[in-house]
Amino acid sequence: MLSITVSNRRKKNETNRALICFFNEKTGKYEVIKENVLPDNLIDTKKYKPFGCYPKGEFLFVANYNKLIKLDKKGNYIDYKNLNGFENPHQIIITTDVKCFTNTENDLIELTYKNKNYTIDLKTLDNVVNDIEIDSHHVNSLCLYDNKIFFCLHNRGTKPSQYFHIDLTTEKIKYICDYGFCSHNCEIEGDFLYTLSTRTGCLACINWKTGKGWETKLVDRKDYFLRGLVITKNHFIIGVSLTDTNANNGNSQILFVDRETKEIVNRYDIEGYNSVNDIRQI
């Protein structure tokens, strides 16, 4: 089962918006849980944007603008906490030892590891510190692997996207490489980092130790953009949203890309929604 956050770009005055979508990757069937499961004080027309989602045990957490909403795995509301000082968080990680959140609009990563708190100011990183023309590097992606947190700086198309990891043991941050433009996601398997170069419509694989790899084009960026990536034994499962100019001309989709051939073997519409924000396996 997948948890997917979906929304509608360029649609005003939408009522009963989506909170979370449960997608059965074996059948392609899905169920959208809407905001009416929430108490009234969590339904805010200006500050409602479910984005990052993450499973922990019997629960599912959803970052919604400046709040962290806790659901069960059927989409029933449990409770919430305020994310003070946050604006527009994207991906999140929540485990027993690690809580990590992209504070995307404020150019920060907020990390708690074994009850020790860190705030990482992305403007101070090597390879980034001289980017005085960029107000926000738009950090949007997190992956926990081998006691490291990998993350991606989108960079808003001003320069190639950049990849780093935080070593939770040594507390050191290491630059990996530049790749793609307006990229999303950084899923890790062994020595390989998988990501989406959204502006060019490509899925890529990078050896995060050597910086070498491959890419394959999946969509035309004029009409679609890629965001949301899950890796299974046989497939790359990828979210496809409609661009601003195409937002009213169809639905967002979930693509299944064969790992051997790199070809799209299935695609499923998420009817009524033009954007996929995040995908996690639960």
Side-chain angles (χ1 to χ4, degrees):
M1 186 69 71
L2 305 177
S3 61
I4 305 174
T5 48
V6 294
S7 60
N8 277 312
R9 298 160 64 90
R10 306 300 179 192
K11 289 192 178 181
K12 296 181 178 179
N13 303 317
E14 185 183 5
T15 58
N16 205 14
R17 296 158 293 184
L19 175 61
I20 196 74
C21 173
F22 294 107
F23 183 98
N24 187 322
E25 67 267 41
K26 295 180 180 179
T27 65
K29 295 182 178 180
Y30 63 91
E31 177 186 12
V32 177
I33 306 299
K34 299 190 176 184
E35 67 181 348
N36 59 2
V37 303
L38 299 174
D40 289 345
N41 65 311
L42 295 185
I43 300 173
D44 187 312
T45 56
K46 294 181 180 179
K47 296 182 178 180
Y48 183 90
K49 190 179 181 181
F51 214 110
C53 56
Y54 204 87
K56 181 179 183 291
E58 297 302 311
F59 303 107
L60 180 66
F61 294 87
V62 180
N64 188 351
Y65 195 81
N66 60 0
K67 296 178 176 64
L68 183 67
I69 297 172
K70 184 178 181 180
L71 309 172
D72 68 17
K73 288 189 174 177
K74 293 184 178 179
N76 296 304
Y77 171 74
I78 305 296
D79 61 18
Y80 83 99
K81 64 176 290 186
N82 286 312
L83 296 175
N84 296 320
F86 274 73
E87 283 188 72
N88 195 24
H90 281 42
Q91 284 201 317
I92 62 175
I93 296 170
I94 300 175
T95 71
T96 301
D97 289 334
V98 176
K99 294 179 180 64
C100 190
F101 304 85
T102 54
N103 191 346
T104 302
E105 206 67 27
N106 292 319
D107 225 15
L108 304 172
I109 293 175
E110 305 287 353
L111 168 64
T112 300
Y113 177 55
K114 294 185 175 179
N115 298 315
K116 188 174 180 179
N117 298 320
Y118 307 83
T119 296
I120 299 161
D121 184 348
L122 300 171
K123 290 184 175 66
T124 67
L125 298 181
D126 291 343
N127 301 79
V128 170
V129 70
N130 293 319
D131 293 345
I132 58 174
E133 76 282 6
I134 303 179
D135 292 330
S136 170
H137 294 84
H138 201 73
V139 58
N140 58 26
S141 305
L142 300 171
C143 179
L144 177 62
Y145 177 82
D146 192 28
N147 218 40
K148 298 176 179 65
I149 293 175
F150 293 76
F151 63 93
C152 170
L153 304 187
H154 176 284
N155 286 334
R156 296 188 177 278
T158 60
K159 66 176 189 176
S161 299
Q162 295 170 291
Y163 300 83
F164 298 78
H165 68 65
I166 308 164
D167 190 310
L168 296 175
T169 302
T170 65
E171 302 183 4
K172 302 293 186 181
I173 299 176
K174 183 178 180 180
Y175 165 77
I176 299 171
C177 67
D178 289 15
Y179 167 74
F181 283 89
C182 303
S183 297
H184 292 85
N185 301 100
C186 51
E187 295 300 308
I188 308 297
E189 269 193 348
D191 292 348
F192 298 102
L193 182 156
Y194 295 89
T195 189
L196 304 169
S197 174
T198 301
R199 178 170 284 186
T200 60
C202 293
L203 164 69
C205 172
I206 302 164
N207 185 314
W208 59 269
K209 294 182 178 179
T210 68
K212 298 179 180 180
W214 54 259
E215 68 176 13
T216 185
K217 189 174 179 65
L218 295 177
V219 298
D220 185 340
R221 177 62 177 90
K222 180 173 64 71
D223 296 321
Y224 303 101
F225 73 91
L226 302 175
R227 180 172 60 199
L229 173 63
V230 163
I231 303 171
T232 67
K233 179 180 178 182
N234 297 316
H235 298 102
F236 303 107
I237 302 176
I238 298 169
V240 177
S241 302
L242 304 183
T243 59
D244 288 348
T245 57
N246 197 35
N248 297 315
N249 295 326
N251 300 306
S252 59
Q253 296 182 333
I254 305 299
L255 302 184
F256 282 63
V257 177
D258 186 276
R259 292 192 61 163
E260 292 293 327
T261 66
K262 314 297 188 299
E263 298 291 331
I264 299 170
V265 293
N266 274 310
R267 61 175 76 221
Y268 300 94
D269 281 10
I270 305 296
E271 294 184 5
Y273 299 93
N274 60 33
S275 292
V276 174
N277 298 329
D278 195 18
I279 308 175
R280 295 288 190 179
Q281 198 159 29
I282 60 175

